[in-house]
Amino acid sequence: MPGLNLLDYSPHRPSPTPPLASASNLILIDNYDSFTWNVYQYLVLEGASVSVFRNDKVTLAELIEKKPTQLVVSPGPGHPDTDAGISGDAIRYFSGKIPVLGVCMGEQCIFSVFGGHVDTTGEILHGKTSSLGHDSKGVYAGLPQGLPVTRYHSLAGTHPTLPECLEVSSWIVAGPNGGKGVIMGVRHKELLVEGVQFHPESILTAEGRTMLKNFLQMKGGTWAENEQIGKKSTADISGEGSNGTAVLGNEAFNSDTSDKDSILDRIYRHRRAAVAAQKQIPSQRPSDLQATYDLNLSPPQISFPNRLKQSPYTLSLMAEIKRASPSKGVISLSTCAPAQARKYALAGASVISVLTEPEWFKGGIEDLRAVRQSLEGMPNRPVVLRKEFIFEEYQILEARIAGADTVLLIVKMLDQVILSRLYHYSQKLGMEPLVEVNTVDEMEMAVSLGSKVIGVNNRDLTSFKVDLDTTSRLMNMVPKDTTVCALSGISGPKDVEAYKQNGVGAVLVGEALMRAADTVKFIRELLGETDETIRSEMEDELLVKICGTRTPEAAKAAVEAGADMIGVILVEGRRRFVPRQTALEISKVVHATPRHRHPSISIPLPQSSSTAIDFFCHTSSTIFSRPNRAMLVGVFQNQSLSYVLAQQQLLDLDLVQFHGSEPLEWASLIPVPVIRSFKPGEPGIGRKGYHALPLLDSAAGGSGQRLDIASVRQLLEADKSLRIILAGGLNAENVHEAIHQLAESSGRVVAVDVSSGVESEGSQSLDKIRAFIAAAKRSRPEPMK
């Protein structure tokens, strides 16, 4: 059978491997399953010489006499305790002597032989694929997380009965955060015995041949022996082709160079192929990216070195968005990158690191683009770092167009010439790179380059071992003007104590932050409390806008009663339209009349100069705070931009309010802040960087129709960053109730707007104006002590 001219029809690895001397006599036990042929085919295509024996046609003595180099137990129908024939006895005998692999029922046999219980899983699967999580060891060495694998089973080993000598090596990813579901693989902790519940030989399983290839490179009967053989001489891997990779213990070796073929090497090769393919796609070709950049379409950027020195903490925080990693597997697949970024920013992060590698880290360039958009309009926003395996200018240009302020350059994967070229190209685009090192030689390269920010990776990317002292050991090589960042392995306060003492400027934290139940609490415990206010809470009085003002007398009465905004309707044809001359008189009164400050007013909390502030929080605490006089608001509805600009200049409007279908972008073209009217649920309400505040109303304005407070509360609860002006049928009798019904969200109502609620028989009532202002000012709940 080994002499058959086999063809691999799968899309994964069509090239056969030359014969392996280390797999010259592999025995495959057939448990009467059609997939045994597929297993046989893949093993032969990976260089093994295979002999197949059915589970009831051979004795253990005969198998022992054949002196196999490896034992593989095939899939099969039935239960491993009753239908696997010689399989169990063969596993018992050969375990600890030669490498043993079980597939599907073969894995169940391993589970059962060592004392576990195989039972129904509650689901029957036949040819279905599932996402696989794994520990990146053994047959999974060097493989990405989330691989689709094919399942044909209703039985599996159970978590509660997992034998002490076995460990779970793979599992079905369960839930949005990658929890461990049904057991898909087990491995003996000492003996070189491994099993997979799924079918690596199925055409629908990704990297199935690689898994079998990894198994065939294992030697000896124990994991310790296997590792010793690998350390002794990788050159002894005889008979392999030029593409052979030997997995020894939990490390991989390249048979071409006798050097370690690390995870970094695998990722590097994969990324080179992926980037090369991407560059062929129209709209993503290098010329396309350059044309986009030349049109000045890249988002505005900020200085990485300067922002890194601004922090409310002793050490600056580089907070990372990382859904998975080769060393830890799935961390949180459900994470929304832009939402996580906002959380980090408001908690005091100086940098947000976005992993954009899709296979091993489950990220993408779209994550970075969304993160940058989520920070739009945020004063003192964090720097956005593209953390990627960068090896050419194309990736740097792509990052800049997507909104990155800086990029990562890993010295370990770049020679001096390429490193220098990429470093200076990044600077040309206005981005000072983060240069990552791990050794003395790499630090010397980074320093000679003139790097302003150097990151010391505490994790060796070849072995993935973490040594938190790496950063401290390399500190004395760094010039004083250079900021040093400690990268990787930081999980708690004890990990950063030494860094606070030896001059480290920043720490990068990923997995621990992603797993934290309370991000702000974790950061404060990690880096220490700060005297500066991290979260900006509204403690101002409730502002009042009297809209539909038609006479100077009404405007003066409103301002003297404590109104904060006076609105005039500048829409011809509307009942409350104010003619030019009257509007000028009202403007004069508003600008000249001192505003009465209500006794309950409080001063806004001080904002941290080194912490990002949410856009609406910033606008509501700055733009809408004029201590000496009220603000004049011009209300428009579907008029031309030129008309709006002319009226703003003529009347010296402090604010412009749009109450129609005007484009959101117009807010960027108006020289004063813009209020925009929305109905609850209407798109664009929470869009940052355009309107200073949204005004929620029930209809076209001035109708007297009550707004559904439940819908307002739902909106505010869904978006904790939102601040609003509340309108719609308010009057002196119901304004307190309306605010009170919003419960905990009431503090995010910046102002209330009234028009018909202060009118009698179609005209403004000065008494109703005064009554409404007094009632509104009293409606803010007392601050929580």
Side-chain angles (χ1 to χ4, degrees), residues 447-513:
V447 171
S448 66
L449 199 61
S451 305
K452 295 182 177 64
V453 183
I454 297 176
V456 180
N457 197 339
N458 295 311
R459 176 177 282 113
D460 187 323
L461 292 179
T462 301
S463 66
F464 267 71
K465 294 179 180 178
V466 174
D467 180 0
L468 292 176
D469 292 330
T470 304
T471 300
S472 300
R473 285 196 299 268
L474 299 178
M475 279 297 299
N476 61 356
M477 300 177 62
V478 182
K480 290 184 178 180
D481 294 338
T482 300
T483 300
V484 174
C485 311
L487 316 179
S488 295
I490 297 168
S491 59
K494 291 184 179 180
D495 298 332
V496 301
E497 286 304 317
Y499 300 147
K500 292 180 180 179
Q501 307 300 323
N502 62 16
V504 171
V507 291
L508 185 143
V509 186
E511 180 192 353
L513 265 179

Side-chain angles (χ1 to χ4, degrees), residues 747-759:
R748 288 187 280 130
V749 178
V750 177
V752 289
D753 181 294
V754 65
S755 182
S756 62
V758 293
E759 293 179 346

Side-chain angles (χ1 to χ4, degrees), residues 29 70 122 173 186 199 276 327 384 386 414 433 459 679 744 752 757 776:
I29 295 178
Q70 293 93 359
V173 175
V186 293
H199 286 254
S327 60
V384 177
R386 182 183 191 183
L414 304 169
R459 176 177 282 113
K679 297 180 181 65
E744 294 179 358
V752 289

Side-chain angles (χ1 to χ4, degrees), residues 595-607:
R595 183 167 75 95
H596 169 69
R597 296 186 68 85
H598 194 271
S600 67
I601 192 168
S602 60
I603 304 301
L605 290 173
Q607 301 294 335

Side-chain angles (χ1 to χ4, degrees), residues 10 85 102 119 244 303 417 436 495 508 529 544 599 755 783:
S10 79
D119 204 346
S303 168
V417 174
E436 179 187 306
D495 298 332
L508 185 143
E529 289 290 345
V544 176
S755 182

